[in-house]
């Protein structure tokens, strides 16, 4: 197994966010973490990214315990796209993408080619001399994607080698802020990486994107995996209502090969408290 | 579009030329005027190259024993202040960070002022001038280090410095040090007050080859080692977590930056007092020219910091000659308008 998580418990500020969570994923899978806000998706991803050294339980990647893996080894094995980015200095797009190659400093001769390749894949090559600060939110996100792609690559071509058992890519809401075309392009890229053997774990909020691209879905609730499996197994009205508190229909459409999740709020209206009720509840 | 290597080389060449010019000018100008040609001839004669320029031995002695140590001290301290500023702006990921933020200057001031006021109780200190000089340097340096250590220690969580806490700790320690410095100033005699004021505003007046040698290693070590962690510092600009994900040992990087910045500033403060604005303004100006890449920003900041302090010192000893204006005042008077111009320019470019 490429990724093994056993009895993972993470407490933040004395509150358990993840609670005895177990999961495994194989090499070359594209897995998606879903769940309502605050159910532990990002915490799980960050635990896998090595950000909580105080976790209880076991996390192993390619058979090696995370606790025994140095920062450098982790960075060579695993790239992470995190949610908020606070870059306030006017680095150019190319400089930002080149930062993805930091961990290989002095070991790869063709860093520059890989950076150019990554920029072309995310369609930011024409922006390469622009200051990162002048980009739009979606463009910034694509540049960050290019940076983590550059960190994963070993040769300047995704299809150039087999990454099975070597690389993990963690993406926390990777397509937030992107237009519909670039959302699709980014997830196609993730699929392509998975086909070359990279294990991709992504947090997504969009049911359609998840249904279209995920091979395995984990639905999180109260810091545990509530439901796990293929899209059709996990995306049932019962599961989704249990996790998100909203009634949905799961439909098939002749034009697409995956199930569509549509809210059924029209039939079971969500009762928001009126102003008077809200005041009274104080 | 200029190639990065060429851009780097031309930036370093430009700032080096500027520094050379500043050194030759400020070595030559003073109560006894020495022409630039004579300055070059005297300097080159020391390494065995004899130019056909006439000068007398008295001129050479003035240059060698009085002017040059002061200029060289200015170069070293200016470079140290500027690279410390660049390192701390990288560490705090904020272009407005300054060596004063982590307590270096206020810690040094506190101990220096205490020593000035209290040394009358220790007559053995005032009797021996050389001893007095060394004790002053060591005590000041120690004050700077202790203040920084305190700030650093308060900001630790799980063995890592938390930057927002560090900022607050810096404010607290600065306030405490300033309060005690104020108390010392209040109880000082008139004569002590003069030396306190002079020290707090900074001066290169105490320069000699001895002080140059005392300060040099403390600036040279960070100057050599900081560029080696410059690419890690670039990646750190993405954020602490992102830097860690990219393979940067963040805890070690932060500790190194704090040690190097403290070294580069503290030794200078110990011999020349508090000189503000160089650490804040110089990296900012250089960044406008070279961009934010620390691999080029740090060496260029060293060069421009040296230029700024050398020129400021030249002004402070010539404007009201034979009297001297404290150099800290001059750096602020030169630096501030430039800084405001930069802010206005930045505001304009963001308003597109």
């Amino acid at each position: 197994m490429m990724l093994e998580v056993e009895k993972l418990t993470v407490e933040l500020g004395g509150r358990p966010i993840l609670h005895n969570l177990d999961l495994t994923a194989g090499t070359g899978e594209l897995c998606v973490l879903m769940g309502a806000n605050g159910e532990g998706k990002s915490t799980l991803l960050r635990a896998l990214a090595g950000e909580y050294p105080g976790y209880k339980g076991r996390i192993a990647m390619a058979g090696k315990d995370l606790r025994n893996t140095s920062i450098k080894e982790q960075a060579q094995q695993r790239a992470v796209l995190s949610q908020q980015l606070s870059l306030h200095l006017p680095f150019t797009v190319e400089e930002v993408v080149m930062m993805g190659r930091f961990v290989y400093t002095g070991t790869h001769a063709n860093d520059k080619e890989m950076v150019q390749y990554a920029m072309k894949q995310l369609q930011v090559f024409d922006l390469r001399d622009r200051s990162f600060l002048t980009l739009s939110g979606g463009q910034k996100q694509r540049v960050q994607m290019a940076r983590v792609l550059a960190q994963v690559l070993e040769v300047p071509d995704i299809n150039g080698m087999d990454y099975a058992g070597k690389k993990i890519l963690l993406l926390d809401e990777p397509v937030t802020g992107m237009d519909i075309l670039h959302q699709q392009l980014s997830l196609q890229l993730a699929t392509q990486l998975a086909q070359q053997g990279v294990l991709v774990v992504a947090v997504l909020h969009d049911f359609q994107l998840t249904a279209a691209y995920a091979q395995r879905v984990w639905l999180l609730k109260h810091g545990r995996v509530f439901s796990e499996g293929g899209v059709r197994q996990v995306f049932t009205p019962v599961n989704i209502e249990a996790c998100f508190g909203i009634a949905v229909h799961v439909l098939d459409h002749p034009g697409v090969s995956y199930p569509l999740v549509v809210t059924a709020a029209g039939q079971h209206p969500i009762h928001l408290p009126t102003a008077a009720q809200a005041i009274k509840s104080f | 579009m200029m190639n990065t290597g060429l851009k780097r080389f031309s930036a370093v060449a430009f700032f080096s030329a500027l520094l050379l010019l500043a050194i030759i000018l400020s070595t030559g100008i003073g109560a006894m005027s020495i022409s630039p040609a004579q300055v070059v001839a005297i300097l080159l004669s020391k390494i065995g190259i004899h130019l056909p320029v006439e000068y007398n031995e008295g001129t050479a002695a003035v240059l060698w024993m009085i002017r040059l140590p002061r200029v060289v001290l200015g170069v070293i301290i200016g470079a140290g202040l500027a690279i410390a500023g660049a390192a701390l702006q990288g560490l705090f990921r904020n272009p407005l960070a300054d060596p004063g933020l982590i307590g270096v200057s206020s810690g040094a001031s506190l101990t220096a002022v205490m020593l000035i006021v209290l040394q009358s109780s220790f007559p053995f200190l005032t009797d021996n001038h050389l001893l007095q000089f060394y004790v002053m340097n060591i005590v000041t340096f120690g004050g700077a280090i202790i203040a920084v250590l305190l700030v650093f220690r308060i900001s630790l969580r799980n063995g890592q410095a938390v930057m927002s806490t560090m900022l607050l700790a810096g404010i607290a320690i600065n306030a405490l040090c300033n309060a005690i410095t104020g108390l010392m100033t209040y109880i000082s005699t008139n004569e002590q007050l003069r030396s306190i004021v002079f020290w707090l505003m900074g001066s290169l007046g105490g320069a000699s080859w001895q002080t140059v040698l005392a300060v040099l290693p403390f600036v040279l070590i960070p100057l050599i080692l900081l560029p080696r962690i410059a690419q890690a510092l670039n990646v750190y600009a993405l954020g602490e977590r992102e830097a860690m994900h990219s393979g940067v040992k963040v805890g070690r990087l932060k500790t190194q930056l704090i040690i190097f910045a403290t070294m580069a500033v503290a030794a200078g403060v110990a011999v020349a007092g508090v000189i503000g604005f160089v650490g804040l303004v110089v990296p900012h100006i250089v960044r406008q020219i070279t961009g934010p890449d620390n691999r080029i920003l740090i060496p260029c900041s060293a060069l421009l910091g040296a230029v700024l302090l050398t020129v400021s010192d030249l002004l402070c000893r010539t404007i009201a000659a034979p009297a001297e204006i404290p150099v800290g005042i001059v750096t602020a008077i030169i630096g501030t308008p430039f800084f405001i111009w930069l802010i206005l320019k930045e505001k304009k470019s963001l308003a597109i």
Side-chain angles (χ1 to χ4, degrees):
Chain A
M1 278 291 120
M2 189 60 196
L3 173 67
E4 292 165 277
V5 176
E6 284 168 29
K7 295 202 183 320
L8 176 65
T9 299
V10 174
E11 290 184 1
L12 296 180
R15 255 189 84 236
I17 307 293
L18 300 177
H19 197 72
N20 274 336
L21 182 142
D22 291 305
L23 60 82
T24 55
T27 193
E29 286 191 297
L30 202 167
C31 307
V32 173
L33 280 165
M34 290 192 90
N37 299 141
E39 298 291 338
K41 303 181 299 290
S42 292
T43 307
L44 174 56
L45 214 67
R46 292 170 70 164
L48 298 181
E51 285 180 35
Y52 303 123
Y55 68 88
K56 297 189 192 82
R58 176 170 178 269
I59 298 174
M61 294 184 179
K64 191 166 182 197
D65 197 307
L66 191 62
R67 290 185 217 273
N68 305 328
T69 315
S70 71
I71 301 263
K72 190 178 173 188
E73 287 171 312
Q74 286 186 32
Q76 286 175 345
Q77 182 178 52
R78 178 209 68 214
V80 184
L81 180 76
S82 37
Q83 245 179 71
Q84 318 97 346
L85 205 103
S86 51
L87 177 60
H88 302 302
L89 291 171
F91 281 102
T92 65
V93 166
E94 187 167 7
E95 284 170 331
V96 172
V97 178
M98 188 53 108
M99 290 176 192
R101 301 297 303 168
F102 174 76
V103 74
Y104 306 102
T105 304
T107 55
H108 280 57
N110 46 2
D111 282 339
K112 208 169 168 91
E113 286 166 56
M114 282 186 258
V115 165
Q116 290 193 347
Y117 176 80
M119 288 193 293
K120 283 178 185 156
Q121 288 293 305
L122 271 302
Q123 301 188 341
V124 292
F125 186 72
D126 293 337
L127 306 174
R128 65 189 179 280
D129 294 323
R130 282 263 297 273
S131 157
F132 182 80
L133 302 184
T134 64
L135 303 181
S136 76
Q139 287 174 326
K140 283 181 181 170
Q141 192 70 0
R142 273 153 57 200
V143 173
Q144 294 304 329
M145 243 337 230
R147 176 175 63 82
V148 291
L149 175 62
Q151 191 179 341
V152 167
L153 291 175
E154 295 276 342
V155 288
D157 180 4
I158 293 178
N159 301 317
M161 71 172 275
D162 183 14
Y163 291 101
K166 289 193 183 129
K167 301 278 177 177
I168 296 184
L169 180 59
L170 304 176
L171 306 170
D172 197 357
E173 302 193 22
V175 297
T176 304
M178 287 188 193
D179 58 50
I180 188 166
L181 170 69
H182 287 102
Q183 288 188 346
Q184 298 287 336
L185 287 176
S186 301
L187 286 167
Q188 278 170 17
L189 184 74
T191 305
Q192 220 181 331
L193 283 165
Q195 280 164 356
Q196 291 307 118
V198 178
L199 168 60
V200 182
V201 178
V203 171
L204 290 179
H205 275 296
D206 188 305
F207 284 98
Q208 193 195 342
L209 288 173
T210 305
Y213 290 101
Q215 289 162 313
R216 186 196 285 265
V217 181
W218 293 303
L219 208 51
L220 294 195
K221 190 182 179 188
H222 298 334
R224 292 170 193 251
V225 178
F226 179 84
S227 170
E228 176 192 0
V231 172
R232 284 186 188 276
Q233 271 170 284
V234 174
F235 280 11
T236 65
V238 176
N239 281 344
I240 292 171
E241 185 158 8
C243 286
F244 292 91
I246 184 167
V248 297
H249 297 302
V250 179
L251 311 171
D252 274 301
H253 185 278
V256 289
S257 58
Y258 50 84
L260 297 178
V261 175
V262 183
T263 53
Q267 283 148 18
H268 307 283
I270 307 164
H271 291 291
L272 293 173
T274 63
Q277 282 170 327
I279 291 165
K280 234 166 114 185
S281 67
F282 274 105
Chain B
M1 186 57 209
M2 231 202 297
N3 156 319
T4 356
L6 186 66
K7 200 172 140 195
R8 242 173 240 179
F9 177 76
S10 46
V12 173
F14 170 71
F15 287 117
S16 302
L18 213 58
L19 179 58
L20 201 65
L21 197 68
I23 291 174
I24 292 173
L25 271 181
S26 59
T27 314
I29 299 173
M32 174 201 253
S33 172
I34 311 171
S35 77
Q38 283 174 323
V39 172
V40 174
I42 295 169
L43 290 181
L44 288 180
S45 74
K46 285 282 172 187
I47 54 167
I49 302 169
H50 295 281
L51 296 185
V53 180
E54 279 186 35
Y55 57 85
N56 61 49
E57 284 311 309
T59 312
V62 166
L63 185 145
W64 195 250
M65 296 316 297
I66 298 172
R67 294 275 171 76
L68 203 56
R70 185 164 178 158
V71 169
V72 172
L73 188 68
V75 167
I76 296 170
I77 293 177
L81 289 169
I83 59 171
L88 292 173
Q89 290 175 7
L91 175 69
F92 284 96
R93 300 197 299 121
N94 187 330
L96 294 178
D98 160 277
L101 215 59
I102 56 168
V104 190
S105 328
S106 64
S109 307
L110 170 62
T111 47
V113 171
M114 275 177 101
L115 191 70
I116 293 172
V117 174
L118 301 178
Q119 68 186 357
S120 52
S121 331
F122 306 102
F124 66 93
L125 272 180
T126 35
D127 290 348
N128 184 335
H129 264 282
L130 197 62
L131 181 68
Q132 193 182 4
F133 170 77
Y134 278 116
V135 169
M136 180 76 174
N137 287 355
I138 292 166
V139 164
T140 313
F141 189 71
I145 302 281
I146 290 170
V148 174
L149 277 180
L150 260 175
V151 170
F152 189 57
R153 190 75 196 80
I154 294 171
S155 69
L156 283 185
R157 188 172 67 200
N158 297 330
Q160 270 211 21
V162 180
M163 285 304 119
S164 50
T165 318
M166 190 157 181
L167 206 64
L168 293 173
I171 292 171
I173 297 293
N174 278 340
L176 182 67
C177 289
N178 290 341
I180 304 175
T181 307
L183 179 68
M184 288 295 144
T185 315
Y186 186 71
I187 62 169
S188 61
T189 64
N190 271 345
E191 194 195 339
Q192 288 165 343
L193 191 62
R194 268 202 75 77
S195 39
I196 290 174
V197 169
F198 204 66
W199 195 87
L200 286 181
M201 290 174 178
S203 166
L204 296 173
S208 65
W209 286 119
Q210 219 172 9
T211 47
V212 166
L213 283 178
V215 177
L216 186 63
F218 290 97
V219 175
L220 209 55
I221 291 171
L223 191 60
I224 293 167
L225 295 181
L226 272 176
R228 297 168 69 108
I229 55 172
Q231 180 60 1
L233 190 54
N234 287 344
V235 178
Y236 184 80
L238 293 172
E240 283 192 33
R241 296 163 44 200
E242 285 73 12
M244 192 268 273
H245 299 152
S246 309
V248 177
K249 294 185 183 77
V250 173
R252 198 173 78 175
L253 176 70
K254 287 196 274 196
T255 312
Q256 283 174 328
L257 287 170
I258 291 163
I259 293 172
F260 293 154
T262 309
M263 274 175 87
V265 176
V269 178
V271 299
V274 180
I275 300 172
F277 245 87
V278 179
L280 174 66
V281 141
V282 167
H284 216 83
I285 296 169
V286 174
R287 205 175 286 117
Q288 302 278 321
I289 299 167
T290 65
D293 186 342
N294 287 294
R295 288 172 293 185
I296 184 73
L297 178 70
I298 291 170
C300 287
S301 291
L303 292 168
L304 189 63
V307 172
L308 179 58
L309 195 56
T310 309
V311 173
S312 299
D313 186 53
L314 172 63
L315 289 176
C316 92
R317 63 187 165 82
T318 51
I319 279 183
E324 271 192 27
I325 306 166
V327 74
I329 292 176
V330 178
T331 53
I333 289 177
I334 301 180
T336 318
F338 217 80
F339 196 59
I340 292 174
W341 174 71
L342 279 177
I343 298 169
L344 292 179
K345 204 179 127 204
E346 232 163 272
K347 197 172 75 177
K348 219 174 180 178
S349 73
L350 285 174
I352 303 165

